Amino acid sequence: MSGHLTLDGVAYPFQSGQTVLEVARENGIKIPALCYHRKTGPAGRCRVCIVEVEGQAGLPTSCNLEAKDGMVVYTNTEAVLEVRRSVVNLLLANGEHNCLSCEQNGRCELQDAAYDLGIEIPAFTIIGPEVEIDDSSEMIVNDRRKCIQCGICVAACNNVVVNEVLGMGQRGFDSRIVCDLDVPMAESTCVQCGECVQLCPVGAFIEKKAIGQGRSWELETVDTTCPYCGVGCQLTLHVDTNANRIVRVTGREVVPNDGMLCVKGRFGYEFPSSPNRLTQPLIRKNGELEPVSWEEALDFTAERIKKIVEEHGPDVFSAFGSGRTTNESNYAISKFTRAVIKTNNVDHCART
Amino acid sequence: MKPDVRAQILDLAATYPTPQAALLSALQMVQEAEGGRLTTEDLSDVARLLDVPLGTVYATVSYYTMLNLEPVGKYHLQLDTNISAKLVGALDLLAHIEQALGISAGETTPDGLFTLSTVEDLGACGTCPVLQVNDRYYEKMTAERFDELLTSLKQGVMPDWKTEGNWGTECNILLARRGKPDSTALAGYVADGGYQALEKALTLSPAEIVQMVKDSGLRGRGGAGFPAGVKWSFLPKGSTKPVYLVCNADEGEPGTFKDRQIMEFDPHLLLEGMAVSGYAVGAKQGYIYIRGEFAWIADILERAVAEAREAGKLGNNILGRGVEFDVRVVRGAGAYVCGEETALIESLEGKRGNPRLRPPYPAASGVFGCPTIVNNVETLACVPYIVLEGAEAFSQIGTPNNTGPKLFGVSGHVNKPGVYEFPLGVPLAKILEAAGGVVGNLKAVIVGGLSTQILTADECRDLTMDYDTCAEYGTGLGSGGIIVMNDTVEIPEIALRTIEFYAHESCGQCTPCRQGSTTIKQMLKRVVDGKGSSEDLENVLQLCKTIMGNTLCPMGDAFSMPIEAMLLKYRAEFDSLLPDGSLVR
């Protein structure tokens, strides 16, 4: 059933199957929802996205509230704010929700919610046992003190990327994120795809290498295509322009990867600024690699290829394209090999 | 893993649409075979066998209190310390046991013989204090009886003590066969006219039975009191998916011990109710999800199912009429929340007992994503009477809109705690009289299980026990678990014990329940310890107000309603615990 629903006094159209939260977000109306992500779906766990609906008792969660024609919804009434404030205060009551040196500062959904509700100091304190940080993994730190038990990482690991590593262990206040049979992440079957890092709404899953390397507002973002293989995952580089260095990589939620990346795409980003990177052609002369001009390098290479093919025939030649070059370059390699050299010996690292 | 256990698990998994549904049972089987504890290797083996991710296996195993990741002694002594037990001296008994064993709760004796744990309500409130040793209950325990038990256990013998609880019936429907010898056997049930309702039902159309149950006015006996026939009619029409009928036998609400009376002493009454109901709703498979602690009752049910199947009362050709309906008994593993119907369904599917986000409701999408009806034991046990005697006869019992017989479990400060069957609408005073009267001076009563609001002695004087009247009195009939307290009881302590229970049982999914229950627990603990402040009490009230109605499942209401009521009605008792000078009103 498509139609119109009213949000805070303004009517908005919606499509069949959309939830109130989706319609609100689509139209720039802010409803905090800490356990909702489009990819993991409504979970109803955080209870922050509650709204008031005319003619309906209670305060339903908007993440799973199906939009209905003629529905009149209020997102910020005093009743809503009172409960929302209570819930956010409860989330802040234990753990370490200190923003000062948190990597998530500026892009934390809990921080945003607290800010919007005007919560400076949490209203309650829960004294709990010390919760351990799992920093065993090479790329990912799981700081359980910051976890708000939203369950997004577990849903993402099991249902989105289907790596099936994370689980929610124990229950109640003792619930915590575990890897496999509660082993350190480094000893688990985790492949460090980092989907948990990307979807964590708070600072409970962070990139280890990015710690202390710059906060979100200090970094510039550059959208690009992952150079590692032929899939063409879309990603965003978060760049410290002063240091000319990539600090972190996030997946873009577009075709083909919908935000997902592999360990290489997400964490293998140092090579552009590596001092070992080749910056000019080299030719080995008398056993030593020496810098030469492009003209010399190309002439030398063309001559050698021509000679070898003349002497031994085209089938001694083969070319390997690379996932890290563009489609156009790979096309040119294929054309050159087949049309110029006249052999079919052409292959590609991302062929499998 | 032992080959026979492995084979059993595989056989079981093959009977489910997904192998994961066998996970909980598999873990239970392996634990039993491996000496009461699951090792990492065991978990990996089960994970591989059922093709379930390791993280999911750990999430499941660590959720349930009856699955042990740590070694336990040869005898695992588990003492119920919930409110009904506390009222009759469970904590004194605990002190005695700790002294006798030389260990504290949570520890194992150095010889590895005994592990002592305190546990939440074991569904034996009328026969408290109750000590569970491995899979056996020792009820009405005293220090002397414990010493006797200990001597026996040290000799390697688990005594076979039968404990008879008090009971009484005015209706002779649900407890009609309670006192009969060998009341669990099919022959006796049939001799007493059993399975005639099933005979009659099969001459009627399913729709006619649904209508009868609607007309009878039968309301769900699990606690919510929703009309059973109406619930049945929510099943989607024309669905091609199989329909499941699930019997909720997870009886865990503190103060409640009624369903076990039916299952333990008249299992065929339940099975007949299920067969008739299954036929009415078009289900071919029924499940009885019974709390894992009731192991011997699950055994009784399994024997009854086998007998009924053998006699053609269940199976693929019931009474030779080509009707198919069978029942399987599934054991829980220690989680109060699994009494909530969607959590129960998750647990049935071999997962953590986390309640589901609704909609969809089980009638549309329940077990394995198929239309499912979940009814309480007592509800289903009412069905044979309705079919046999007619909706009219059933609705004559009780009061309008509150029809039929009801089991009331009475525990706490009464002379004859036990379970009593009366028509709905019976005066509370009459039930208390049946239970031998109050010991001492009545102070307060919780009438519908721990999740309902406490009533003062004055408030409950003229109360009649039915859904509507209880609601008028600002409480709920709930499960009919009546906890009686005399004036030796301090309400702040009861409030603390209440919230300790709910904090322990919170599944942890949603913020208000997980964080709120623990916050309230710590605040009330401060108050009871004489270290609280009036701000703590105001915060508790404010939290109760904002939690009520705002959790994923009814659990938030289940603790915020009673805690709020205790605090509002007995505020002076709470205030008197505050340190001098901290009372700012």
Side-chain angles (χ1 to χ4, degrees), chain A residues 42-48 50 58-61 63-64 82-83 86-94 123-128 147-150 158 163-176 178-183 189, chain B residues 39-41 43-44 53-60 62-65 69 334-336 352 354 357-359 503-516 518-519 522-523 526 535 539 542-543 545-547 549-553:
Chain A
R45 297 172 68 112
C46 75
R47 315 307 285 180
V48 175
I50 45 163
L59 303 171
T61 45
C63 65
N64 69 321
E82 187 186 18
V83 173
S86 170
V87 170
V88 173
N89 263 312
L90 283 171
L91 284 173
L92 294 168
N94 68 308
F124 318 113
T125 308
I126 304 177
I127 301 152
C147 178
I148 57 166
Q149 322 272 336
C150 71
N158 288 281
N163 283 324
E164 301 182 328
V165 180
L166 297 179
M168 185 68 83
Q170 279 70 35
R171 74 180 186 203
F173 186 71
D174 299 328
S175 307
R176 67 208 177 90
V178 296
C179 295
D180 292 345
L181 298 176
D182 193 20
V183 296
T189 54
Chain B
T39 62
T40 306
E41 229 171 272
L43 300 183
S44 304
L54 294 170
T56 306
V57 170
Y58 185 82
T60 308
S62 62
Y63 182 92
Y64 295 97
T65 57
L69 291 166
Y336 164 77
R352 287 164 73 83
N354 285 351
L357 193 58
R358 283 157 292 190
H504 180 262
E505 297 299 335
S506 170
C507 81
Q509 273 194 113
C510 77
T511 312
C513 181
R514 179 186 71 248
Q515 304 283 100
T518 300
T519 307
Q522 295 195 351
M523 287 174 180
R526 275 203 294 274
E535 195 191 346
N539 275 335
Q542 174 65 14
L543 277 174
K545 182 185 165 203
T546 50
I547 290 169
N550 289 314
T551 46
L552 197 156
C553 82

Side-chain angles (χ1 to χ4, degrees), chain B residues 412-560:
Chain B
H413 293 145
V414 288
N415 287 305
K416 282 172 61 190
V419 67
Y420 300 93
E421 181 182 15
F422 281 104
L424 279 169
V426 61
L428 174 66
K430 195 172 174 185
I431 302 175
L432 298 186
E433 195 189 312
V438 177
V439 178
N441 296 317
L442 183 66
K443 176 172 186 173
V445 184
I446 295 168
V447 297
L450 192 54
S451 63
T452 59
Q453 293 93 333
I454 196 166
L455 295 177
T456 65
D458 277 348
E459 283 176 322
C460 67
R461 187 161 294 129
D462 301 320
L463 176 68
T464 54
M465 293 294 285
D466 60 62
Y467 297 100
D468 298 340
T469 311
C470 284
E472 279 168 31
Y473 275 64
T475 185
L477 183 76
S479 57
I482 301 170
I483 305 174
V484 180
M485 288 169 267
N486 66 20
D487 60 5
T488 63
V489 170
E490 311 277 351
I491 299 301
E493 278 187 22
I494 299 294
L496 174 60
R497 191 63 191 84
T498 301
I499 196 63
E500 281 174 348
F501 167 70
Y502 287 103
H504 180 262
E505 297 299 335
S506 170
C507 81
Q509 273 194 113
C510 77
T511 312
C513 181
R514 179 186 71 248
Q515 304 283 100
S517 60
T518 300
T519 307
I520 294 174
K521 181 178 89 172
Q522 295 195 351
M523 287 174 180
L524 288 180
K525 178 85 172 100
R526 275 203 294 274
V527 171
V528 168
D529 287 350
K531 295 172 188 159
S533 66
S534 53
E535 195 191 346
D536 283 330
L537 297 178
E538 293 310 320
N539 275 335
V540 169
L541 285 174
Q542 174 65 14
L543 277 174
C544 287
K545 182 185 165 203
T546 50
I547 290 169
M548 224 176 283
N550 289 314
T551 46
L552 197 156
C553 82
M555 179 93 158
D557 294 3
F559 67 80
S560 54

Side-chain angles (χ1 to χ4, degrees), chain B residues 193-395:
Chain B
Y195 286 109
Q196 283 180 17
L198 181 60
E199 294 261 7
K200 182 175 171 189
L202 297 189
T203 65
L204 303 168
S205 75
E208 283 173 310
I209 300 171
V210 174
Q211 194 56 46
M212 278 175 111
V213 172
K214 270 189 190 169
D215 292 344
S216 76
L218 172 63
R219 294 172 69 168
R221 302 297 197 231
F226 193 80
V230 177
K231 193 176 198 179
W232 290 3
S233 63
F234 289 156
L235 284 170
K237 305 280 176 287
S239 166
T240 53
K241 291 179 173 175
V243 175
Y244 291 101
L245 175 70
V246 178
C247 170
N248 185 345
D250 195 52
E251 183 153 78
E253 179 77 19
T256 313
F257 50 102
K258 62 178 182 77
D259 292 334
R260 60 178 278 197
Q261 312 296 330
I262 296 169
M263 298 186 288
E264 190 172 354
F265 297 102
D266 207 357
H268 285 285
L269 178 64
L270 173 61
L271 294 183
E272 184 176 16
M274 286 188 75
V276 173
S277 305
Y279 171 66
V281 301
K284 292 190 167 131
Q285 179 67 53
Y287 293 107
I288 300 175
Y289 182 92
I290 182 166
R291 62 180 299 177
E293 294 88 345
F294 285 171
W296 80 99
I297 304 180
D299 293 343
I300 290 172
L301 286 170
E302 277 174 349
R303 280 197 295 274
V305 167
E307 240 189 328
R309 203 182 282 142
E310 183 74 18
K313 316 287 187 196
L314 293 174
N316 54 16
N317 186 16
I318 295 180
L319 306 180
R321 291 176 199 250
V323 174
E324 187 180 341
F325 182 76
D326 209 342
V327 171
R328 174 180 293 170
V329 179
V330 178
R331 295 161 199 239
Y336 164 77
V337 185
C338 291
E340 192 280 335
E341 62 179 6
T342 59
L344 186 155
I345 288 169
E346 286 283 294
S347 188
L348 251 183
E349 292 182 2
K351 303 171 187 165
R352 287 164 73 83
N354 285 351
R356 290 179 179 174
L357 193 58
R358 283 157 292 190
Y361 289 86
S365 178
V367 182
F368 308 122
C370 298
T372 300
I373 292 295
V374 184
N375 284 140
N376 173 259
V377 172
E378 192 184 349
T379 313
L380 290 163
C382 284
V383 171
Y385 183 89
I386 294 169
V387 169
L388 204 57
E389 307 295 333
E392 179 71 21
F394 188 86
S395 62

Side-chain angles (χ1 to χ4, degrees), chain A residues 79-152:
Chain A
V80 165
L81 291 177
E82 187 186 18
V83 173
R84 199 176 280 164
R85 212 174 282 127
S86 170
V87 170
V88 173
N89 263 312
L90 283 171
L91 284 173
L92 294 168
N94 68 308
E96 290 288 333
H97 303 292
N98 304 321
C99 305
L100 293 180
S101 60
C102 181
E103 284 305 313
Q104 203 75 359
N105 192 357
R107 53 194 183 114
C108 172
E109 294 181 37
L110 180 62
Q111 187 187 43
D112 292 347
Y115 176 82
D116 290 343
L117 293 163
I119 299 171
E120 180 69 36
I121 297 167
F124 318 113
T125 308
I126 304 177
I127 301 152
E130 198 133 308
V131 178
E132 75 274 38
I133 302 171
D134 183 353
D135 61 355
S136 63
S137 158
E138 201 177 340
M139 300 298 171
I140 298 168
V141 176
N142 177 14
D143 186 346
R144 294 190 177 100
R145 301 169 312 167
K146 293 177 187 286
C147 178
I148 57 166
Q149 322 272 336
C150 71
I152 287 180

Side-chain angles (χ1 to χ4, degrees), chain B residues 79-97 128-130 141-143 412-413:
Chain B
L79 184 70
D80 175 350
T81 59
N82 208 296
I83 288 172
S84 297
K86 185 179 150 84
L87 291 176
V88 293
L91 296 186
D92 292 339
L93 180 63
L94 175 65
H96 177 81
I97 298 174
C128 282
V130 52
M141 286 304 287
T142 58
H413 293 145

